Amino acid sequence: MIHVFGIPNCETVKKARAWLDAHGVAYTFHDFKKQGVPIERLDAWLATLGWEALLNRRGTTWRQLDDATRAGVTDGASARALMLAKPSVIRRPVVDWGGSVTAGFDPDDWQRRVTAR
């Protein structure tokens, strides 16, 4: 089973979920706002993807942080602490494909993954 993690009102998450629905792909959705960030999963994502790939520096949440907070994110531990405090700074959606994990929505990559299943 595919597990999608994110925030339901995020435009990228909306596009990703619509894509999965249109392609008939079954998945579960974990809402960071209602259910929080699962710490054990976050640690696995950080280990797999790296904190730089998981941290969304283009999003509104990052841009709204003060300079000192942004400057304080220098490694995996500081990025993890920020992600737990402000889940919307995590690049979305995070998808557990049942053997691999991705962050962000890439229709071409997703098509390859779905076709390979």
Side-chain angles (χ1 to χ4, degrees), residues 7-64:
I7 298 168
N9 63 346
C10 169
E11 288 302 316
T12 306
V13 171
K14 286 179 185 178
K15 289 177 191 174
R17 293 178 75 185
W19 188 95
L20 290 168
D21 292 339
H23 288 81
V25 178
Y27 65 93
T28 62
F29 180 71
H30 181 102
D31 182 345
F32 287 155
K33 294 287 187 180
K34 291 183 180 176
Q35 298 168 281
V37 177
I39 294 172
E40 64 286 343
R41 295 239 186 186
L42 177 60
D43 291 339
W45 302 335
L46 289 166
T48 302
L49 300 172
W51 68 272
E52 297 93 342
L54 201 55
L55 183 66
N56 182 6
R57 289 187 167 141
R58 294 183 188 176
T60 303
T61 302
W62 177 261
R63 291 191 309 265
Q64 290 177 344

